Amino acid sequence: MIILGIETSCDETAAAVLQKTGKQIKILSNVVASSATLQAKYGGVIPEQAAREQLRSIIPVIQEALTSAFKSTSSSKISNFKFQISKIDAIAVTYGPGLIGSLLVGVETAKTLALTWNKPLIPVNHLLGHFYANWITSTHLPGAQAHLEGVPKFPCIGLLVSGGHTDLVLFEDYNKYKYLGGTRDDAAGECFDKCARLLGLPYPGGPQIAKLAQTGNPDKFILPIPMRESKDFDFSYSGLKTAVANLIKETGKLSQQEKADLASSIEQTIVTSLIDKVVLAIQHYNIDQIMVAGGVAANQRLKEELESRVKSQGKKIKLHIPPPELCTDNAAMIASAAFFLNPIKNPVILQANPNLSL
């Protein structure tokens, strides 16, 4: 089965073509056009601007994904196009959550193509889509194969950590899960961005803090680890952001080394708070499978320290984290999720839902 995935929930315009053969899910093409450079000028995403860029990019991105996935010997553009469309079995699209203008670009495009090409349409929750990046068994173009032992098995604890969401989920099967907890205010990625702004770093803040933290001492500044004493699975990062703002105000102008030390402390504090809750969940539910998803999953310190904490638990626990290019928003994860979902009967009824949750 071959699925064309479309993702436009924030400032990326993405399309990917994936093929599932048996238990293996292979990427045939994965195209992402981002307006992050444009958004960086303003220190964050301007929704209307992002949607306008996506309107310009959506058709060229889909065309590039199809062309990259399927090579035809015909010199005719029309023949090539018909050949590419004939290969697609279904179309998958993110319908929420996200920015409403951005979601509409992807949803309306997918509905139009599904009706025009007479293909089934599969709606995908963007948050669930992130988790399904862990089921992709090849991460590059055709020919790249990965071992199936890397695929998560059930039951499995799932940590979603991104710019807008921090959630902990217990997966019992592909589409059967229990929501354990989430952020009560700011998400971890949002805290990274806001702290980066306080340090005078450009947007997006997460990668900037991680880069600066490499030369810093995480013990130089002691920050409160959010929700550490609570026995639930919730997160909170607004207090950490306030603590950083107060520390900077009290310290005054920071030297470059002090900025690096504070960046390292911020990163360490967020990573520790995430891992604390994951460890609590695997102990409570006696789970030996963990998967991490979302943009912050690309953070190297999170990966290294989670691996270390998992090993210290005294039993064999399998940790699954997608490669960095599949952690941030992309359409490959949306197509991957669609292999385990059902299409809707009438594409026309699908509506974008910016407030969709887990």
Side-chain angles (χ1 to χ4, degrees):
M1 187 175 184
I2 297 178
I3 292 180
L4 167 66
I6 298 172
E7 154 64 28
T8 62
S9 64
C10 191
D11 60 330
E12 283 85 9
T13 310
V17 178
L18 270 66
Q19 181 178 31
K20 186 172 186 288
T21 306
K23 293 184 178 181
Q24 290 197 346
I25 297 176
K26 181 170 66 174
I27 296 177
L28 302 183
S29 66
N30 188 24
V31 181
V32 180
S34 176
S35 61
T37 303
L38 180 63
Q39 308 300 334
K41 294 179 180 179
Y42 305 98
V45 177
I46 298 176
E48 294 81 3
Q49 191 177 57
R52 284 196 295 270
E53 291 301 312
Q54 287 165 322
L55 278 171
R56 297 188 185 99
S57 302
I58 187 69
I59 297 303
V61 164
I62 291 172
Q63 288 177 326
E64 184 178 343
L66 291 172
T67 301
S68 298
F70 309 115
K71 306 297 181 183
S72 173
T73 56
S74 174
S75 60
S76 167
K77 288 185 178 180
I78 295 176
S79 296
N80 277 334
F81 186 64
K82 288 182 177 179
F83 171 75
Q84 293 162 6
I85 301 310
S86 68
K87 291 288 186 178
I88 297 296
D89 294 306
I91 298 171
V93 65
T94 296
Y95 74 106
L99 304 175
I100 183 59
S102 296
L103 289 169
L104 284 170
V105 173
V107 168
E108 296 305 316
T109 300
K111 285 162 63 174
T112 302
L113 295 180
L115 290 167
T116 305
W117 298 347
N118 193 28
K119 304 289 183 181
L121 181 62
I122 306 171
V124 178
N125 182 323
H126 174 84
L127 306 181
L128 284 177
H130 271 297
F131 286 116
Y132 282 92
N134 286 286
W135 271 272
I136 296 174
T137 51
S138 73
T139 57
H140 297 288
L141 295 179
Q145 294 291 332
H147 297 294
L148 286 177
E149 58 260 29
V151 176
K153 296 177 176 60
F154 302 109
C156 181
I157 294 293
L159 172 67
L160 173 63
V161 53
S162 67
H165 301 272
T166 305
D167 297 298
L168 202 59
V169 179
L170 170 61
F171 280 88
E172 298 172 350
D173 208 334
Y174 290 108
N175 296 308
K176 185 181 179 183
Y177 64 89
K178 178 182 179 182
Y179 184 80
L180 302 181
T183 183
R184 297 182 179 182
D185 39 61
D186 292 354
E190 184 180 359
C191 186
F192 269 123
D193 288 339
K194 289 179 177 178
C195 289
R197 185 179 299 178
L198 291 169
L199 287 169
L201 300 175
Y203 175 86
Q208 298 295 331
I209 284 185
K211 183 179 179 180
L212 184 59
Q214 291 175 1
T215 58
N217 176 8
D219 299 320
K220 185 71 174 180
F221 296 99
I222 305 301
L223 296 170
I225 298 174
M227 306 286 288
R228 190 165 213 183
E229 300 305 319
S230 72
K231 299 303 179 183
D232 55 31
F233 301 110
D234 285 344
F235 303 87
S236 171
Y237 294 101
S238 62
L240 176 58
K241 176 196 65 178
T242 302
V244 172
N246 290 339
L247 191 153
I248 292 173
K249 185 178 180 180
E250 292 168 3
T251 306
K253 187 175 181 180
L254 299 173
S255 66
Q256 188 60 30
Q257 184 57 53
E258 286 175 326
K259 284 186 177 181
D261 292 338
L262 183 52
S264 186
S265 181
I266 292 166
E267 183 182 48
Q268 183 64 61
T269 302
I270 293 174
V271 164
T272 300
S273 71
L274 292 168
I275 295 175
D276 281 350
K277 297 296 183 176
V278 172
V279 171
L280 184 65
I282 62 173
Q283 291 174 341
H284 183 81
Y285 290 98
N286 193 27
I287 300 294
D288 62 3
Q289 296 276 321
I290 303 169
M291 61 175 166
V292 187
V296 182
N299 182 281
Q300 189 62 27
R301 180 175 290 185
L302 175 61
K303 180 180 179 181
E304 291 173 356
E305 299 215 359
L306 189 51
E307 286 176 343
S308 176
R309 287 281 293 274
V310 162
K311 287 180 181 178
S312 71
Q313 292 305 300
K315 64 176 182 177
K316 190 175 182 181
I317 298 174
K318 185 70 175 178
L319 176 63
H320 308 273
I321 302 178
E325 65 268 22
L326 295 181
C327 290
T328 52
D329 289 353
N330 64 88
M333 67 185 196
I334 301 304
S336 179
F339 287 116
F340 305 97
L341 299 170
N342 295 319
I344 55 176
K345 293 182 179 180
N346 181 6
V348 175
I349 67 172
L350 181 62
Q351 298 295 320
N353 183 354
N355 299 315
L356 193 65
S357 70
L358 287 172

